Amino acid sequence: MDAVGDGTRRAILERLLEHPSAVGELAAGLPVSRPAVSQHLRVLKQARLVTDRQVGTRRIYAVDPQGVREVRAYWERFWSQALAHFKAVADTEAEQRAGSGHEEKSDGDGG
Amino acid sequence: MDAVGDGTRRAILERLLEHPSAVGELAAGLPVSRPAVSQHLRVLKQARLVTDRQVGTRRIYAVDPQGVREVRAYWERFWSQALAHFKAVADTEAEQRAGSGHEEKSDGDGG
DNA sequence: TCTAATCGTAAGTGCTAACTTACGGTAAGT
DNA sequence: ACTTACCGTAAGTTAGCACTTACGATTAGA
């Protein structure tokens, strides 16, 4: 969750989705230093979103599809429950109104 | 995204999913002050996750199911693409492995 | 108009985390 | 063994955010 909350980490994830990469390669394509990327990768690794393996002096990071599925499932469940709950309540309230019209109000605030 | 990244905001959303509430009511059930809730509601409103309407001196906030659907769709698309992309790449690499090894290329960075 | 109730906003504070520089460690080549 | 390449981590700095207190604005009632 926190893992995908940061923009840089999402950029890293996007890169890794295309193909596994070493830390230096990732840093070269991002506006942050190599240690910063390394630290982000640590967070992603703790979140089980990436895996790493050593190849010579380099460390290749790759997306862990299993972790992606888990995070995705978590959020899908969250949103689904949210919508389901809302739908149920809206339905109950509609019955309670029993004939009263439902109106969506717009705040009209421009920003 | 940022909107649901904070725990307090998620708590507010959970409360609002049960039924629309005024700011004071929300604050009374949370361990933060009323202004804090008000600021969180501002973020949720900017994210189109809640709507508000004035009732007397009170302001009633409610979940905007349309916004919830949009945010949900955004993330579902994100994760789906991620998994789809990964699957495609994994498949391609599997074919490549069938004939030759896959080697990561290095490009010297200036440091 | 005066008072009570409710809310948003401004100003200021504390904590988290993202970032950089500096350093040490490991692997490969000569 | 020496050098080069690549990386993770520690230490320190800085920016952002969540929170609180203080204040002004709006609405309802007498």
Side-chain angles (χ1 to χ4, degrees), chain B residues 6 8-9 32-33 35 39-40 56-57 106:
Chain B
D6 180 70
T8 301
R9 278 197 288 271
V32 295
S33 68
Q39 290 165 9
H40 282 304
T57 64
S106 170

Side-chain angles (χ1 to χ4, degrees), chain A residues 23 35-36 44-45 55 58 76-77 87 89-90 93 98 103:
Chain A
V23 180
L44 290 172
K45 187 177 175 183
V55 178
R58 309 166 65 204
E76 189 158 330
R77 210 173 304 130
K87 187 173 187 299
V89 173
E93 288 178 350
E103 180 174 325

